[in-house]
Short mmCIF file of all heavy atoms in Angstrom, two decimals:
data_model
loop_
_atom_site.label_atom_id
_atom_site.label_comp_id
_atom_site.label_asym_id
_atom_site.label_seq_id
_atom_site.Cartn_x
_atom_site.Cartn_y
_atom_site.Cartn_z
N ARG K 15 19.97 1.42 7.29
CA ARG K 15 19.24 1.79 8.61
C ARG K 15 17.96 2.53 8.40
O ARG K 15 17.25 2.68 9.33
CB ARG K 15 20.26 2.59 9.32
CG ARG K 15 21.53 1.81 9.83
CD ARG K 15 22.39 2.56 10.69
NE ARG K 15 23.07 3.72 9.90
CZ ARG K 15 24.39 3.68 9.62
NH1 ARG K 15 25.16 2.66 9.98
NH2 ARG K 15 24.84 4.55 8.93
N ILE K 16 17.69 2.91 7.20
CA ILE K 16 16.44 3.64 6.91
C ILE K 16 15.36 2.63 6.80
O ILE K 16 15.40 1.67 6.07
CB ILE K 16 16.49 4.51 5.59
CG1 ILE K 16 17.64 5.55 5.82
CG2 ILE K 16 15.22 5.15 5.32
CD1 ILE K 16 17.94 6.32 4.45
N ARG K 17 14.22 2.91 7.55
CA ARG K 17 13.11 1.95 7.48
C ARG K 17 11.90 2.64 7.01
O ARG K 17 10.97 1.85 6.54
CB ARG K 17 12.87 1.41 9.01
CG ARG K 17 13.97 0.56 9.38
CD ARG K 17 14.09 -0.76 8.61
NE ARG K 17 15.18 -1.63 9.13
CZ ARG K 17 16.27 -1.73 8.33
NH1 ARG K 17 16.44 -1.06 7.25
NH2 ARG K 17 17.26 -2.49 8.78
N HIS K 18 11.70 3.89 6.95
CA HIS K 18 10.51 4.60 6.52
C HIS K 18 10.96 6.04 6.02
O HIS K 18 11.53 6.74 6.72
CB HIS K 18 9.50 4.65 7.69
CG HIS K 18 8.18 5.23 7.23
ND1 HIS K 18 7.25 5.47 8.15
CD2 HIS K 18 7.64 5.47 6.07
CE1 HIS K 18 6.12 5.88 7.59
NE2 HIS K 18 6.40 5.96 6.27
N TYR K 19 10.52 6.40 4.85
CA TYR K 19 10.81 7.72 4.29
C TYR K 19 9.72 8.11 3.44
O TYR K 19 8.86 7.24 2.88
CB TYR K 19 12.14 7.74 3.67
CG TYR K 19 12.25 6.93 2.25
CD1 TYR K 19 11.77 7.48 1.08
CD2 TYR K 19 12.67 5.66 2.22
CE1 TYR K 19 11.81 6.72 -0.17
CE2 TYR K 19 12.74 4.85 1.10
CZ TYR K 19 12.40 5.46 -0.04
OH TYR K 19 12.41 4.73 -1.21
N LYS K 20 9.75 9.42 3.07
CA LYS K 20 8.72 9.91 2.09
C LYS K 20 9.45 10.96 1.24
O LYS K 20 10.41 11.55 1.71
CB LYS K 20 7.52 10.59 2.72
CG LYS K 20 7.72 11.73 3.53
CD LYS K 20 6.38 12.22 4.23
CE LYS K 20 6.63 13.49 5.03
NZ LYS K 20 5.44 14.01 5.57
N ILE K 21 8.97 11.14 -0.02
CA ILE K 21 9.49 12.09 -0.96
C ILE K 21 8.28 13.01 -1.29
O ILE K 21 7.24 12.62 -1.75
CB ILE K 21 10.04 11.49 -2.18
CG1 ILE K 21 11.19 10.52 -1.77
CG2 ILE K 21 10.57 12.55 -3.21
CD1 ILE K 21 11.79 9.62 -2.88
N GLU K 22 8.56 14.32 -1.11
CA GLU K 22 7.53 15.36 -1.50
C GLU K 22 8.10 16.34 -2.41
O GLU K 22 9.41 16.59 -2.46
CB GLU K 22 7.04 16.08 -0.20
CG GLU K 22 6.42 15.22 0.82
CD GLU K 22 6.25 15.95 2.13
OE1 GLU K 22 7.19 16.28 2.77
OE2 GLU K 22 4.96 16.10 2.44
N ALA K 23 7.19 16.92 -3.23
CA ALA K 23 7.54 18.05 -4.12
C ALA K 23 6.91 19.30 -3.55
O ALA K 23 5.76 19.28 -3.09
CB ALA K 23 7.12 17.83 -5.46
N LEU K 24 7.63 20.40 -3.52
CA LEU K 24 7.11 21.73 -3.03
C LEU K 24 6.89 22.59 -4.34
O LEU K 24 7.84 22.86 -5.02
CB LEU K 24 8.02 22.40 -2.11
CG LEU K 24 8.34 21.60 -0.79
CD1 LEU K 24 9.29 22.32 0.10
CD2 LEU K 24 7.08 21.31 -0.09
N ALA K 25 5.64 22.90 -4.56
CA ALA K 25 5.20 23.77 -5.62
C ALA K 25 5.58 25.24 -5.34
O ALA K 25 5.98 25.61 -4.31
CB ALA K 25 3.76 23.44 -6.04
N GLY K 26 5.17 26.14 -6.29
CA GLY K 26 5.36 27.47 -6.20
C GLY K 26 4.76 28.09 -4.91
O GLY K 26 5.33 29.07 -4.35
N GLU K 27 3.65 27.76 -4.52
CA GLU K 27 2.95 28.32 -3.39
C GLU K 27 3.37 27.59 -2.01
O GLU K 27 2.91 27.99 -1.02
CB GLU K 27 1.37 28.14 -3.58
CG GLU K 27 0.88 28.85 -4.59
CD GLU K 27 0.93 28.14 -5.92
OE1 GLU K 27 0.74 26.92 -5.93
OE2 GLU K 27 1.31 28.74 -7.00
N GLY K 28 4.25 26.63 -2.09
CA GLY K 28 4.75 25.94 -1.02
C GLY K 28 3.96 24.78 -0.50
O GLY K 28 4.21 24.20 0.47
N ALA K 29 2.90 24.44 -1.31
CA ALA K 29 2.10 23.26 -0.98
C ALA K 29 2.81 21.96 -1.22
O ALA K 29 3.49 21.83 -2.33
CB ALA K 29 0.76 23.35 -1.83
N ALA K 30 2.89 21.04 -0.28
CA ALA K 30 3.64 19.83 -0.49
C ALA K 30 2.66 18.79 -1.19
O ALA K 30 1.54 18.65 -0.80
CB ALA K 30 4.03 19.36 0.91
N VAL K 31 3.35 18.09 -2.12
CA VAL K 31 2.65 16.98 -2.85
C VAL K 31 3.43 15.81 -2.53
O VAL K 31 4.65 15.68 -2.79
CB VAL K 31 2.57 17.28 -4.35
CG1 VAL K 31 2.04 16.14 -4.99
CG2 VAL K 31 1.90 18.57 -4.56
N LEU K 32 2.81 14.71 -1.98
CA LEU K 32 3.52 13.51 -1.65
C LEU K 32 3.68 12.71 -2.99
O LEU K 32 2.73 12.48 -3.73
CB LEU K 32 2.62 12.64 -0.81
CG LEU K 32 3.30 11.24 -0.32
CD1 LEU K 32 4.48 11.53 0.51
CD2 LEU K 32 2.20 10.53 0.44
N LEU K 33 4.88 12.40 -3.33
CA LEU K 33 5.23 11.62 -4.52
C LEU K 33 5.49 10.24 -4.20
O LEU K 33 5.13 9.42 -5.16
CB LEU K 33 6.52 12.31 -5.17
CG LEU K 33 6.42 13.69 -5.65
CD1 LEU K 33 7.76 14.27 -6.12
CD2 LEU K 33 5.37 13.88 -6.69
N ALA K 34 6.09 9.85 -3.18
CA ALA K 34 6.41 8.46 -2.79
C ALA K 34 6.51 8.20 -1.29
O ALA K 34 6.97 9.30 -0.62
CB ALA K 34 7.67 8.06 -3.55
N GLU K 35 6.34 7.09 -0.91
CA GLU K 35 6.58 6.82 0.50
C GLU K 35 6.97 5.27 0.51
O GLU K 35 6.27 4.42 -0.20
CB GLU K 35 5.33 6.98 1.42
CG GLU K 35 5.53 6.89 2.81
CD GLU K 35 4.43 7.37 3.73
OE1 GLU K 35 3.36 7.85 3.17
OE2 GLU K 35 4.54 7.31 4.93
N ARG K 36 7.87 4.96 1.37
CA ARG K 36 8.25 3.60 1.44
C ARG K 36 8.55 3.20 2.87
O ARG K 36 9.20 3.98 3.66
CB ARG K 36 9.55 3.36 0.63
CG ARG K 36 10.01 1.91 0.65
CD ARG K 36 11.10 1.48 -0.30
NE ARG K 36 11.62 0.24 0.05
CZ ARG K 36 12.01 -0.58 -0.92
NH1 ARG K 36 12.04 -0.12 -2.13
NH2 ARG K 36 12.33 -1.76 -0.67
N LYS K 37 8.06 2.07 3.34
CA LYS K 37 8.27 1.57 4.64
C LYS K 37 8.77 0.12 4.52
O LYS K 37 8.21 -0.63 3.79
CB LYS K 37 6.93 1.70 5.43
CG LYS K 37 7.13 1.50 6.93
CD LYS K 37 5.92 1.84 7.68
CE LYS K 37 6.23 1.70 9.11
NZ LYS K 37 5.05 2.19 9.96
N GLY K 38 9.77 -0.20 5.24
CA GLY K 38 10.34 -1.55 5.25
C GLY K 38 11.82 -1.52 5.12
O GLY K 38 12.37 -0.42 4.96
N ALA K 39 12.37 -2.67 5.29
CA ALA K 39 13.75 -2.77 5.16
C ALA K 39 14.34 -2.54 3.77
O ALA K 39 13.73 -2.83 2.83
CB ALA K 39 14.30 -4.21 5.58
N LEU K 40 15.43 -1.70 3.68
CA LEU K 40 15.96 -1.38 2.40
C LEU K 40 17.22 -2.38 2.08
O LEU K 40 17.78 -2.87 3.10
CB LEU K 40 16.43 0.05 2.41
CG LEU K 40 15.38 1.13 2.55
CD1 LEU K 40 16.07 2.48 2.45
CD2 LEU K 40 14.35 0.99 1.47
N THR K 41 17.66 -2.51 0.92
CA THR K 41 18.75 -3.27 0.50
C THR K 41 19.87 -2.38 -0.02
O THR K 41 19.64 -1.09 -0.13
CB THR K 41 18.37 -4.32 -0.52
OG1 THR K 41 17.97 -3.67 -1.65
CG2 THR K 41 17.22 -5.21 0.01
N ASP K 42 20.93 -2.96 -0.55
CA ASP K 42 22.00 -2.12 -1.16
C ASP K 42 21.53 -1.80 -2.59
O ASP K 42 22.20 -0.95 -3.30
CB ASP K 42 23.25 -2.93 -1.11
CG ASP K 42 23.88 -2.92 0.19
OD1 ASP K 42 23.63 -1.99 0.94
OD2 ASP K 42 24.76 -3.80 0.48
N SER K 43 20.42 -2.38 -3.16
CA SER K 43 20.05 -2.10 -4.58
C SER K 43 19.39 -0.87 -4.55
O SER K 43 18.67 -0.36 -3.61
CB SER K 43 19.11 -3.18 -4.96
OG SER K 43 19.75 -4.51 -5.02
N PRO K 44 19.55 0.01 -5.70
CA PRO K 44 18.90 1.23 -5.69
C PRO K 44 17.38 0.99 -5.73
O PRO K 44 16.81 0.15 -6.28
CB PRO K 44 19.36 1.79 -7.11
CG PRO K 44 20.60 1.02 -7.44
CD PRO K 44 20.41 -0.28 -6.82
N VAL K 45 16.67 2.04 -5.09
CA VAL K 45 15.25 2.04 -5.21
C VAL K 45 14.79 3.21 -6.14
O VAL K 45 15.30 4.36 -6.07
CB VAL K 45 14.58 2.45 -3.74
CG1 VAL K 45 13.05 2.57 -3.79
CG2 VAL K 45 15.07 1.39 -2.77
N VAL K 46 13.98 2.86 -7.10
CA VAL K 46 13.59 3.85 -8.20
C VAL K 46 12.09 4.05 -8.00
O VAL K 46 11.27 3.17 -7.98
CB VAL K 46 13.80 3.29 -9.54
CG1 VAL K 46 13.34 4.20 -10.62
CG2 VAL K 46 15.32 3.10 -9.80
N HIS K 47 11.72 5.35 -7.93
CA HIS K 47 10.26 5.73 -7.83
C HIS K 47 9.96 6.51 -9.15
O HIS K 47 10.78 7.33 -9.51
CB HIS K 47 10.02 6.69 -6.69
CG HIS K 47 10.23 5.94 -5.33
ND1 HIS K 47 9.42 5.08 -4.87
CD2 HIS K 47 11.22 6.17 -4.43
CE1 HIS K 47 9.82 4.66 -3.63
NE2 HIS K 47 10.96 5.36 -3.38
N GLU K 48 8.91 6.24 -9.67
CA GLU K 48 8.41 7.01 -10.90
C GLU K 48 7.29 7.88 -10.40
O GLU K 48 6.29 7.45 -9.87
CB GLU K 48 7.90 6.04 -11.96
CG GLU K 48 9.05 5.25 -12.57
CD GLU K 48 8.63 4.49 -13.82
OE1 GLU K 48 7.69 4.87 -14.52
OE2 GLU K 48 9.31 3.43 -14.12
N PHE K 49 7.45 9.16 -10.69
CA PHE K 49 6.50 10.25 -10.30
C PHE K 49 5.69 10.74 -11.49
O PHE K 49 6.24 10.74 -12.66
CB PHE K 49 7.13 11.48 -9.69
CG PHE K 49 8.24 11.12 -8.70
CD1 PHE K 49 9.44 11.83 -8.66
CD2 PHE K 49 7.92 10.28 -7.70
CE1 PHE K 49 10.36 11.61 -7.74
CE2 PHE K 49 8.93 9.98 -6.74
CZ PHE K 49 10.12 10.69 -6.66
N PRO K 50 4.57 11.28 -11.30
CA PRO K 50 3.85 12.02 -12.36
C PRO K 50 4.59 13.20 -12.70
O PRO K 50 5.39 13.79 -11.88
CB PRO K 50 2.42 12.28 -11.77
CG PRO K 50 2.69 12.32 -10.36
CD PRO K 50 3.78 11.24 -10.04
N VAL K 51 4.36 13.75 -13.92
CA VAL K 51 4.99 15.00 -14.34
C VAL K 51 4.29 16.10 -13.59
O VAL K 51 3.12 16.31 -13.76
CB VAL K 51 4.90 15.18 -15.75
CG1 VAL K 51 5.48 16.49 -16.28
CG2 VAL K 51 5.60 14.06 -16.58
N ILE K 52 5.12 16.93 -12.87
CA ILE K 52 4.64 18.03 -12.16
C ILE K 52 5.68 19.17 -12.14
O ILE K 52 6.80 18.83 -12.43
CB ILE K 52 4.33 17.70 -10.65
CG1 ILE K 52 5.46 17.32 -9.95
CG2 ILE K 52 3.29 16.72 -10.57
CD1 ILE K 52 5.33 17.23 -8.35
N GLN K 53 5.19 20.31 -11.90
CA GLN K 53 6.20 21.41 -11.75
C GLN K 53 6.44 21.69 -10.31
O GLN K 53 5.53 21.81 -9.51
CB GLN K 53 5.64 22.76 -12.41
CG GLN K 53 5.70 22.71 -13.91
CD GLN K 53 5.48 24.18 -14.49
OE1 GLN K 53 4.77 24.96 -13.89
NE2 GLN K 53 6.07 24.38 -15.57
N ALA K 54 7.70 21.62 -9.92
CA ALA K 54 8.06 21.81 -8.53
C ALA K 54 9.42 22.53 -8.46
O ALA K 54 10.17 22.46 -9.44
CB ALA K 54 8.16 20.46 -7.80
N ARG K 55 9.60 23.26 -7.47
CA ARG K 55 10.92 23.89 -7.18
C ARG K 55 11.84 23.24 -6.26
O ARG K 55 12.97 23.43 -6.29
CB ARG K 55 10.71 25.35 -6.89
CG ARG K 55 9.88 25.56 -5.69
CD ARG K 55 9.63 27.10 -5.47
NE ARG K 55 8.93 27.29 -4.19
CZ ARG K 55 9.48 27.44 -2.96
NH1 ARG K 55 10.79 27.58 -2.90
NH2 ARG K 55 8.74 27.54 -1.93
N ILE K 56 11.27 22.39 -5.43
CA ILE K 56 12.09 21.62 -4.44
C ILE K 56 11.57 20.29 -4.33
O ILE K 56 10.32 20.02 -4.23
CB ILE K 56 12.01 22.42 -3.13
CG1 ILE K 56 12.59 23.77 -3.06
CG2 ILE K 56 12.70 21.51 -2.00
CD1 ILE K 56 12.35 24.62 -1.88
N LEU K 57 12.46 19.28 -4.24
CA LEU K 57 12.19 17.91 -3.82
C LEU K 57 12.65 17.73 -2.27
O LEU K 57 13.83 18.08 -2.11
CB LEU K 57 12.81 16.88 -4.72
CG LEU K 57 12.30 16.61 -6.06
CD1 LEU K 57 13.09 15.57 -6.81
CD2 LEU K 57 10.80 16.25 -6.03
N LYS K 58 11.86 17.08 -1.52
CA LYS K 58 12.21 16.99 -0.14
C LYS K 58 12.12 15.57 0.28
O LYS K 58 11.12 14.82 0.10
CB LYS K 58 11.25 17.75 0.69
CG LYS K 58 11.39 17.77 2.12
CD LYS K 58 10.36 18.59 2.88
CE LYS K 58 10.31 18.38 4.37
NZ LYS K 58 9.24 19.26 4.97
N LEU K 59 13.29 14.99 0.78
CA LEU K 59 13.31 13.70 1.29
C LEU K 59 13.25 13.68 2.77
O LEU K 59 14.18 14.34 3.40
CB LEU K 59 14.67 12.96 0.83
CG LEU K 59 15.01 11.59 1.47
CD1 LEU K 59 13.94 10.51 1.03
CD2 LEU K 59 16.34 11.14 1.12
N THR K 60 12.29 13.05 3.48
CA THR K 60 12.12 13.11 4.89
C THR K 60 12.34 11.64 5.36
O THR K 60 11.57 10.75 4.91
CB THR K 60 10.78 13.63 5.31
OG1 THR K 60 10.66 14.91 4.72
CG2 THR K 60 10.74 13.65 6.82
N ILE K 61 13.32 11.39 6.28
CA ILE K 61 13.51 10.20 6.97
C ILE K 61 12.54 10.08 8.09
O ILE K 61 12.71 10.93 9.02
CB ILE K 61 14.90 9.93 7.32
CG1 ILE K 61 15.89 10.23 6.16
CG2 ILE K 61 15.07 8.53 7.96
CD1 ILE K 61 15.77 9.33 4.95
N LEU K 62 11.64 9.16 8.12
CA LEU K 62 10.61 9.07 9.18
C LEU K 62 10.97 8.10 10.26
O LEU K 62 10.61 8.11 11.45
CB LEU K 62 9.33 8.69 8.63
CG LEU K 62 8.71 9.75 7.69
CD1 LEU K 62 7.54 9.27 6.89
CD2 LEU K 62 8.42 11.09 8.36
N GLU K 63 11.81 7.07 9.92
CA GLU K 63 12.20 6.00 10.89
C GLU K 63 13.49 5.32 10.48
O GLU K 63 13.74 5.09 9.34
CB GLU K 63 11.09 4.92 10.91
CG GLU K 63 11.33 3.85 11.89
CD GLU K 63 10.18 2.78 11.89
OE1 GLU K 63 9.04 3.03 11.36
OE2 GLU K 63 10.47 1.68 12.42
N THR K 64 14.44 5.13 11.42
CA THR K 64 15.68 4.45 11.21
C THR K 64 15.63 3.17 12.22
O THR K 64 14.87 3.13 13.18
CB THR K 64 16.76 5.28 11.43
OG1 THR K 64 16.86 5.77 12.77
CG2 THR K 64 16.83 6.43 10.43
N GLU K 65 16.60 2.31 12.03
CA GLU K 65 16.86 1.22 12.87
C GLU K 65 18.30 1.14 13.29
O GLU K 65 19.12 1.48 12.41
CB GLU K 65 16.42 -0.06 12.13
CG GLU K 65 16.55 -1.32 13.01
CD GLU K 65 16.01 -2.48 12.24
OE1 GLU K 65 14.74 -2.63 12.14
OE2 GLU K 65 16.84 -3.33 11.74
N THR K 66 18.52 0.74 14.49
CA THR K 66 19.86 0.73 14.90
C THR K 66 20.64 -0.47 14.40
O THR K 66 20.05 -1.58 14.39
CB THR K 66 20.01 0.73 16.37
OG1 THR K 66 19.29 1.82 17.00
CG2 THR K 66 21.35 0.62 16.94
N ASP K 67 21.90 -0.34 13.78
CA ASP K 67 22.55 -1.48 13.21
C ASP K 67 23.27 -2.18 14.28
O ASP K 67 23.33 -1.70 15.48
CB ASP K 67 23.44 -1.08 12.04
CG ASP K 67 24.67 -0.24 12.43
OD1 ASP K 67 24.98 -0.11 13.62
OD2 ASP K 67 25.20 0.33 11.54
N PRO K 68 23.94 -3.38 13.92
CA PRO K 68 24.72 -4.09 14.96
C PRO K 68 25.82 -3.31 15.70
O PRO K 68 26.20 -3.69 16.78
CB PRO K 68 25.24 -5.28 14.20
CG PRO K 68 24.31 -5.39 12.99
CD PRO K 68 23.90 -4.00 12.69
N ARG K 69 26.31 -2.33 15.11
CA ARG K 69 27.34 -1.45 15.69
C ARG K 69 26.89 -0.33 16.56
O ARG K 69 27.58 0.49 17.11
CB ARG K 69 28.36 -0.94 14.63
CG ARG K 69 29.15 -2.06 13.97
CD ARG K 69 30.19 -1.51 13.03
NE ARG K 69 29.51 -1.66 11.74
CZ ARG K 69 29.94 -1.03 10.61
NH1 ARG K 69 30.95 -0.20 10.59
NH2 ARG K 69 29.41 -1.30 9.50
N GLY K 70 25.52 -0.17 16.59
CA GLY K 70 24.85 0.85 17.43
C GLY K 70 24.65 2.16 16.72
O GLY K 70 24.18 3.08 17.41
N TYR K 71 24.74 2.20 15.42
CA TYR K 71 24.53 3.42 14.64
C TYR K 71 23.03 3.40 14.20
O TYR K 71 22.50 2.43 13.73
CB TYR K 71 25.33 3.63 13.39
CG TYR K 71 26.88 3.62 13.77
CD1 TYR K 71 27.82 2.60 13.53
CD2 TYR K 71 27.40 4.87 14.28
CE1 TYR K 71 29.06 2.77 13.88
CE2 TYR K 71 28.67 5.03 14.65
CZ TYR K 71 29.58 3.97 14.38
OH TYR K 71 30.90 4.02 14.72
N SER K 72 22.39 4.57 14.30
CA SER K 72 21.01 4.66 13.74
C SER K 72 20.78 5.82 12.87
O SER K 72 19.62 6.10 12.37
CB SER K 72 20.03 4.93 14.96
OG SER K 72 20.33 6.01 15.59
N GLU K 73 21.89 6.49 12.53
CA GLU K 73 21.88 7.66 11.58
C GLU K 73 21.54 7.12 10.24
O GLU K 73 22.05 6.05 9.79
CB GLU K 73 23.20 8.47 11.59
CG GLU K 73 23.48 9.08 12.84
CD GLU K 73 24.16 8.24 13.87
OE1 GLU K 73 24.60 7.17 13.48
OE2 GLU K 73 24.34 8.71 15.00
N PRO K 74 20.80 7.83 9.37
CA PRO K 74 20.48 7.35 8.00
C PRO K 74 21.78 7.34 7.18
O PRO K 74 22.58 8.28 7.27
CB PRO K 74 19.51 8.41 7.44
CG PRO K 74 19.15 9.29 8.55
CD PRO K 74 20.08 9.04 9.76
N GLY K 75 21.92 6.38 6.32
CA GLY K 75 23.14 6.29 5.42
C GLY K 75 22.54 6.42 4.03
O GLY K 75 22.11 5.53 3.46
N ILE K 76 22.72 7.67 3.56
CA ILE K 76 22.26 7.96 2.21
C ILE K 76 23.50 8.15 1.34
O ILE K 76 24.30 9.02 1.60
CB ILE K 76 21.42 9.23 2.15
CG1 ILE K 76 20.15 9.05 3.15
CG2 ILE K 76 20.93 9.59 0.72
CD1 ILE K 76 19.39 10.32 3.34
N ARG K 77 23.60 7.29 0.33
CA ARG K 77 24.70 7.46 -0.64
C ARG K 77 24.34 8.46 -1.70
O ARG K 77 25.30 9.18 -2.15
CB ARG K 77 24.98 6.08 -1.30
CG ARG K 77 25.66 5.18 -0.32
CD ARG K 77 26.16 3.95 -0.93
NE ARG K 77 26.22 2.86 -0.03
CZ ARG K 77 26.04 1.61 -0.29
NH1 ARG K 77 25.59 1.29 -1.44
NH2 ARG K 77 26.12 0.80 0.67
N ARG K 78 23.16 8.45 -2.19
CA ARG K 78 22.91 9.39 -3.30
C ARG K 78 21.36 9.51 -3.43
O ARG K 78 20.55 8.55 -3.27
CB ARG K 78 23.39 8.72 -4.61
CG ARG K 78 23.28 9.64 -5.74
CD ARG K 78 24.07 9.29 -7.00
NE ARG K 78 23.87 7.86 -7.39
CZ ARG K 78 24.78 7.15 -8.03
NH1 ARG K 78 25.91 7.75 -8.46
NH2 ARG K 78 24.63 5.89 -8.37
N PHE K 79 20.91 10.70 -3.70
CA PHE K 79 19.48 11.03 -3.93
C PHE K 79 19.41 11.92 -5.15
O PHE K 79 19.91 12.97 -5.22
CB PHE K 79 18.88 11.79 -2.74
CG PHE K 79 17.48 12.26 -2.94
CD1 PHE K 79 16.49 11.40 -2.81
CD2 PHE K 79 17.14 13.61 -3.00
CE1 PHE K 79 15.13 11.77 -3.01
CE2 PHE K 79 15.92 14.01 -3.18
CZ PHE K 79 14.88 13.06 -3.13
N GLU K 80 18.83 11.31 -6.22
CA GLU K 80 18.81 12.03 -7.53
C GLU K 80 17.41 12.10 -8.11
O GLU K 80 16.51 11.17 -7.76
CB GLU K 80 19.64 11.33 -8.50
CG GLU K 80 21.13 11.22 -8.07
CD GLU K 80 21.98 10.56 -9.07
OE1 GLU K 80 21.46 10.19 -10.18
OE2 GLU K 80 23.11 10.31 -8.79
N ALA K 81 17.09 13.03 -8.99
CA ALA K 81 15.85 13.15 -9.63
C ALA K 81 16.10 13.53 -11.12
O ALA K 81 16.96 14.34 -11.42
CB ALA K 81 14.86 14.06 -9.02
N TYR K 82 15.38 12.80 -12.05
CA TYR K 82 15.56 13.16 -13.47
C TYR K 82 14.28 13.38 -14.09
O TYR K 82 13.19 12.66 -13.71
CB TYR K 82 16.27 11.93 -14.13
CG TYR K 82 17.59 11.70 -13.54
CD1 TYR K 82 17.79 10.68 -12.59
CD2 TYR K 82 18.73 12.36 -14.07
CE1 TYR K 82 19.04 10.42 -12.17
CE2 TYR K 82 20.04 12.15 -13.57
CZ TYR K 82 20.11 11.09 -12.56
OH TYR K 82 21.42 10.78 -12.07
N TYR K 83 14.09 14.19 -15.18
CA TYR K 83 12.97 14.26 -15.94
C TYR K 83 13.15 13.40 -17.21
O TYR K 83 14.18 13.61 -17.89
CB TYR K 83 12.70 15.72 -16.33
CG TYR K 83 11.57 15.85 -17.33
CD1 TYR K 83 10.32 15.51 -17.01
CD2 TYR K 83 11.95 16.31 -18.61
CE1 TYR K 83 9.29 15.62 -17.98
CE2 TYR K 83 10.82 16.47 -19.60
CZ TYR K 83 9.61 16.13 -19.20
OH TYR K 83 8.57 16.27 -20.15
N CYS K 84 12.35 12.43 -17.38
CA CYS K 84 12.46 11.51 -18.57
C CYS K 84 11.14 11.56 -19.31
O CYS K 84 10.18 10.79 -19.03
CB CYS K 84 12.82 10.12 -18.08
SG CYS K 84 14.33 9.99 -17.15
N PRO K 85 11.14 12.41 -20.37
CA PRO K 85 9.80 12.45 -21.14
C PRO K 85 9.58 11.06 -21.78
O PRO K 85 10.39 10.38 -22.15
CB PRO K 85 10.00 13.60 -22.12
CG PRO K 85 11.54 13.71 -22.24
CD PRO K 85 12.10 13.21 -20.87
N GLU K 86 8.23 10.81 -21.85
CA GLU K 86 7.82 9.57 -22.62
C GLU K 86 8.11 9.74 -24.02
O GLU K 86 7.99 10.71 -24.66
CB GLU K 86 6.30 9.41 -22.35
CG GLU K 86 5.91 9.04 -20.92
CD GLU K 86 4.43 8.73 -20.71
OE1 GLU K 86 3.85 8.20 -21.76
OE2 GLU K 86 3.94 9.10 -19.72
N ARG K 87 8.40 8.65 -24.62
CA ARG K 87 8.74 8.55 -26.05
C ARG K 87 7.50 8.08 -26.76
O ARG K 87 6.86 7.09 -26.25
CB ARG K 87 9.88 7.58 -26.42
CG ARG K 87 11.17 8.15 -25.81
CD ARG K 87 12.26 7.16 -26.15
NE ARG K 87 13.52 7.78 -25.62
CZ ARG K 87 14.68 7.06 -25.50
NH1 ARG K 87 14.65 5.74 -25.87
NH2 ARG K 87 15.67 7.58 -24.94
N SER K 88 7.16 8.63 -27.86
CA SER K 88 5.90 8.13 -28.57
C SER K 88 6.32 7.34 -29.78
O SER K 88 7.33 7.14 -30.24
CB SER K 88 5.06 9.37 -28.97
OG SER K 88 5.80 10.42 -29.36
#
């Protein structure tokens, strides 16, 4: 039901940095975003738009939201 969202990082001073934004229909497949390496204390997922499903529900259905640090290998 999610149609538009954004992911932001909040740095030490509270300044928000936009890391990713997606608009359009989602599928059951996981969506993976790769971010630049930054220092942040909070990741924030904001749902900007949802769509009503055939049963009349419009609440976002989020199964899992995860973030990992994966250093590049040389």
